[in-house]
Amino acid sequence: MNMHAPMNTRSHAVRTPEVPNALLHYVFFMALALAMQVKVIAQTAAIDSLYALLNSAKATNTLADTSLASQHLRLAAKLSKAGMMDSAFAQAARAEALLSRLERSFPEQQRIHGMLAVANRHMGRLKYFDSLYDESLRYMQLANRHAQVANDSLELGRSLMYMGACFREMNDTTQALAYTRQAMPLLESTGQLSDLGVAIMSIGGIYTNSGVTDSALYHFKNAHRLFLRIDSRSQIAASLLNIAGLYNNIGRHDSVHHYLALAAPYAHTMSPPAQVRYHGMLGRDHTIRKEFSDALVELALAEELADGNPSDLAEILHVKALALAGSHDMPAAMTAMRSGYDAMVNDLDLAKVQAVTEQRLAFEHEEQQRIADAALAMEQQRKRNSVIVAVGTSIIALLLLVLLFTARRNAARIRQKNDEIVNAQAQLVAAEKQRENEAVRTRIARDLHDEMGGELTKISLLSAEARRQVPSEQGTLSETLTRIAELSRSAHGALHDVVHATDASTDSSTALVEQARTIAHRLLDNSPVQHTIDVEHRGADIAVGPATKRDLLMILKEAINNALKHAQAQRIEVSFRVEDGRYKLEVADDGKGFDPALAPGGNGLRNMRLRAERAHADMTLASNGSPGTRLILTGRLA
């Protein structure tokens, strides 16, 4: 039966009243809840038996406690699957406390470190689902350290994957890609296809956040095929929801509807966070199809399952505002919009960004310190061995000579070490000043994005609602409202470019390449001109100065805009390649061309040449009045 279609039962003698779709949905979900309750009862029995077992067990402070910790972790997994997140965290924390006591008594036991990696990953995963990304990152870093001691490739890969997910949720694309790509070869080496599929899907999510639609869809579909291969039903559902979400972002609503229908048979296998997303997306789909009553039922269920999570509520309440507006309940729509905006601001709290950044820097510092301590220990051991050999094989006179020589050498080393310490202190002071400057730039960028981005979104939303309510015969007013919506989206894109230019975390060659791809797609995807976009980064990621980054991106935008506005082109080709610090940017069209020597003295071409000079780049413009124009820009990023 199609639960989204109205039911009309008619006969010649009796007419049965129509049953509202909202009531049908309520009955359907009550039946689904009853079926799930039967499953929960079975799960509860297994959980209760584990609780009874653990309550009767006593810690012995011996290696036998690893079995007790293993049962706590097993119970934590069952509680998490049943949606009892707080209880799951408590059980994982008990396991971690038991194992930490054992670690102090048996520091070299790899099994203990391996189980500590699992316990910390459990706790970090639960904090991640609660949108507490700084706390999640801290637990994942602890899991990573224990996995290194245990030489456990699987837990190493899992902890790196979740660290990448934390940075992805905080829109730090560079760090998210770096950690996730570190995780993939580790997961692949273990043969755990389920975890490998999650990592592939995570990269798709990173590309989705960056607006790189083709790469995101490629990774989501690869993950989906892998989950089908191993018949992991909950992950099949997750991949289908990701594909549907991606098509929603690019406005392909028929594809959204199709993939949501494919996900429906797997709804009962979804995790609680996936259930929230599934019903929220169904609500959006009904809203787009103007089935507002059905949409409000789905959104109410999603809002209840979200349980106050600001990340989920921001999206749900914005869609709810649209559905209420479509139902002509404007006061309720405005209330939902304000609540959604408040949830979005809460989710994008700068304190979270700062906490995640500080946690990453602390982790990297501790890793460097660990490497330095290991090198120092090796050096100290080498010195001890040298002294023992010298004492055992030398006579008193030779020993005195050796001691005298050693004293002189140590004096020289002390002077050298003092010089190194002074230089290191100066470098630390300079690095701290640079970090403070970058923190200020990042804070300004985030504030600008949060304030202006939210207001531009409101303008776009309200203009779309006003256009829907304007009668079709008022064509001029409708066109004006459409133009307002287009300008707000264009302004939002320009705002994104400004934030990218001022955000210190994007001062790298990989971030420059991804932003160039984003700009090219934004300018060309909605134009009638055929186009190709070829953007690639090879080699190491290197730092790029903010001025150079802005000049190169502005030259790219100016070149594409010139081709769109003046060339009367049928096709535009954009290429941007970076390899080992060198770059080559090309923008070519098949338009009418022009003679640069006879071109009017506008600011566009002059500004492009000035920017190229500032970036120490070589710029050539080939046209000479023949059909087509080609701009080539080459240089080094550092």
Side-chain angles (χ1 to χ4, degrees):
M1 179 184 296
N2 182 0
M3 298 304 296
H4 300 284
M7 293 182 59
N8 293 301
T9 305
R10 301 180 185 274
S11 67
H12 294 290
V14 180
R15 177 178 179 180
T16 303
E18 292 185 352
V19 180
N21 280 352
L23 180 58
L24 285 176
H25 275 275
Y26 179 81
V27 173
F28 173 78
F29 286 114
M30 289 302 99
L32 178 60
L34 181 60
M36 293 179 67
Q37 187 66 29
V38 173
K39 182 178 179 181
V40 168
I41 290 171
Q43 292 176 340
T44 303
I47 290 170
D48 288 343
S49 64
L50 271 176
Y51 266 124
L53 175 65
L54 293 175
N55 287 335
S56 63
K58 301 292 184 182
T60 62
N61 292 324
T62 66
L63 288 176
D65 285 350
T66 56
S67 297
L68 181 58
S70 179
Q71 294 302 319
H72 279 294
L73 292 175
R74 181 184 173 197
L75 179 55
K78 287 184 176 295
L79 290 167
S80 174
K81 189 174 182 180
M84 303 164 69
M85 302 303 186
D86 292 341
S87 299
F89 185 88
Q91 291 299 319
R94 289 178 184 174
E96 194 275 341
L98 272 173
L99 294 165
S100 293
R101 286 198 295 270
L102 289 176
E103 181 198 7
R104 289 190 287 271
S105 301
F106 308 96
E108 303 300 326
Q109 281 283 337
Q110 286 192 331
R111 171 174 166 77
I112 295 174
H113 286 284
M115 294 182 69
L116 276 168
V118 175
N120 280 285
R121 176 174 58 79
H122 266 301
M123 292 188 288
R125 178 174 172 271
L126 292 166
K127 291 296 183 183
Y128 171 83
F129 287 140
D130 208 22
S131 297
L132 300 174
Y133 304 122
D134 54 327
E135 294 185 39
S136 175
L137 188 61
R138 177 168 61 85
Y139 285 117
M140 290 304 171
Q141 289 167 352
L142 288 171
N144 185 271
R145 295 190 192 102
H146 287 298
Q148 288 183 37
V149 177
N151 197 24
D152 188 333
S153 297
L154 178 59
E155 287 302 323
L156 270 174
R158 286 171 169 172
S159 61
L160 288 168
M161 179 176 67
Y162 271 104
M163 289 161 70
C166 289
F167 287 115
R168 181 193 71 209
E169 293 298 331
M170 299 308 295
N171 293 320
D172 190 342
T173 302
T174 302
Q175 294 296 330
L177 278 173
Y179 281 103
T180 309
R181 284 172 175 165
Q182 287 182 56
M184 287 189 63
L186 291 167
L187 296 173
E188 191 170 10
S189 69
T190 65
Q192 292 291 329
L193 298 182
S194 176
D195 292 290
L196 178 61
V198 173
I200 295 171
M201 197 158 58
S202 183
I203 290 182
I206 296 168
Y207 280 124
T208 298
N209 291 351
S210 302
V212 188
T213 305
D214 48 353
S215 297
L217 187 60
Y218 171 82
H219 284 86
F220 285 153
K221 289 190 174 181
N222 276 353
H224 179 65
R225 284 191 288 269
L226 194 152
F227 295 143
L228 285 172
R229 174 180 160 192
I230 62 177
D231 195 28
S232 177
R233 301 179 69 80
S234 62
Q235 292 172 324
I236 291 172
S239 61
L240 289 170
L241 292 182
N242 281 329
I243 296 172
L246 181 63
Y247 279 127
N248 178 74
N249 292 345
I250 60 177
R252 291 179 55 177
H253 301 301
D254 287 341
S255 296
V256 174
H257 187 75
H258 170 71
Y259 280 96
L260 287 176
L262 291 179
Y266 304 98
H268 65 284
T269 69
M270 294 177 185
S271 64
Q275 288 276 356
V276 175
R277 189 180 185 200
Y278 174 65
H279 292 293
M281 293 177 71
L282 282 176
R284 178 183 287 276
D285 185 52
H286 284 306
T287 301
I288 290 170
R289 294 172 176 273
K290 298 183 179 181
E291 299 165 354
F292 301 119
S293 296
D294 296 343
L296 290 171
V297 170
E298 297 285 356
L299 294 168
L301 182 57
E303 187 175 355
E304 180 182 357
L305 292 171
D307 195 25
N309 188 310
S311 177
D312 295 325
L313 285 177
E315 175 69 15
I316 293 167
L317 290 171
H318 277 111
V319 178
K320 183 178 180 180
L322 291 173
L324 288 167
S327 300
H328 305 293
D329 190 351
M330 294 307 296
M334 294 304 296
T335 299
M337 181 185 295
R338 284 192 293 269
S339 298
Y341 182 75
D342 291 340
M344 180 182 66
V345 171
N346 184 33
D347 184 52
L348 294 176
D349 186 359
L350 285 176
K352 288 185 180 180
V353 178
Q354 183 179 2
V356 170
T357 302
E358 290 174 353
Q359 195 67 37
R360 174 176 65 84
L361 293 175
F363 175 72
E364 292 174 351
H365 172 73
E366 290 173 11
E367 283 293 295
Q368 293 171 358
Q369 187 64 44
R370 182 182 63 80
I371 295 171
D373 289 344
L376 179 61
M378 291 179 63
E379 177 66 16
Q380 290 173 342
Q381 183 63 39
R382 187 188 66 80
K383 288 182 178 180
R384 284 194 296 269
N385 292 340
S386 298
V387 171
I388 292 172
V389 171
V391 171
T393 59
S394 301
I395 61 176
I396 299 302
L398 181 60
L399 179 59
L400 292 174
L401 291 176
V402 170
L403 290 174
L404 178 62
F405 173 74
T406 303
R408 292 178 178 176
R409 183 178 60 181
N410 286 343
R413 285 183 174 179
I414 289 172
R415 289 192 296 271
Q416 181 182 358
K417 291 294 182 183
N418 285 337
D419 293 339
E420 291 175 357
I421 290 171
V422 171
N423 292 334
Q425 289 175 339
Q427 291 174 0
L428 284 173
V429 171
E432 179 63 19
K433 289 181 178 179
Q434 181 180 0
R435 188 191 68 79
E436 291 176 356
N437 292 335
E438 290 177 351
V440 171
R441 287 175 56 199
T442 300
R443 185 164 61 253
I444 293 172
R446 301 295 185 190
D447 289 345
L448 180 62
H449 186 275
D450 289 346
E451 293 295 331
M452 296 300 295
E455 296 305 318
L456 289 170
T457 301
K458 285 183 181 179
I459 293 172
S460 179
L461 181 63
L462 291 174
S463 61
E465 172 59 21
R467 186 173 70 252
R468 193 189 65 77
Q469 296 183 6
V470 169
S472 59
E473 60 270 11
Q474 297 185 17
T476 303
L477 179 56
S478 179
E479 292 174 0
T480 302
L481 291 171
T482 300
R483 182 58 177 160
I484 291 173
E486 292 174 351
L487 289 173
S488 67
R489 287 192 294 271
S490 176
H492 194 281
L495 173 63
H496 176 77
D497 295 343
V498 172
V499 169
H500 182 275
T502 56
D503 190 347
S505 66
T506 64
D507 291 347
S508 67
S509 56
T510 55
L512 172 64
V513 167
E514 293 301 328
Q515 181 65 6
R517 185 199 308 272
T518 298
I519 289 173
H521 276 291
R522 189 174 70 232
L523 294 176
L524 292 172
D525 284 352
N526 293 324
S527 72
V529 179
Q530 294 182 359
H531 59 272
T532 58
I533 299 172
D534 183 12
V535 179
E536 184 178 11
H537 183 285
R538 290 184 178 178
D541 190 15
I542 62 173
V544 180
T548 299
K549 176 179 68 174
R550 176 169 172 76
D551 284 333
L552 295 182
L553 293 176
M554 291 301 293
I555 290 172
L556 172 63
K557 290 176 65 175
E558 183 69 24
I560 295 176
N561 281 326
N562 284 344
L564 289 171
K565 293 178 181 178
H566 307 301
Q568 300 179 7
Q570 299 298 315
R571 183 174 183 82
I572 297 175
E573 297 178 354
V574 177
S575 172
F576 186 39
R577 296 179 178 273
V578 174
E579 183 171 1
D580 296 329
R582 296 198 62 86
Y583 64 87
K584 182 177 182 181
L585 169 65
E586 292 188 62
V587 179
D589 64 71
D590 61 354
K592 62 183 181 180
F594 73 103
D595 188 346
L598 301 178
N603 290 326
L605 186 57
R606 182 166 58 251
N607 287 341
M608 290 169 69
R609 295 191 185 281
L610 288 174
R611 293 183 188 279
E613 289 177 6
R614 282 203 301 263
H616 304 290
D618 296 323
M619 188 179 94
T620 60
L621 191 63
S623 181
N624 297 324
S626 61
T629 301
R630 181 179 297 273
L631 178 139
I632 302 176
L633 189 74
T634 59
R636 294 192 64 87
L637 293 175

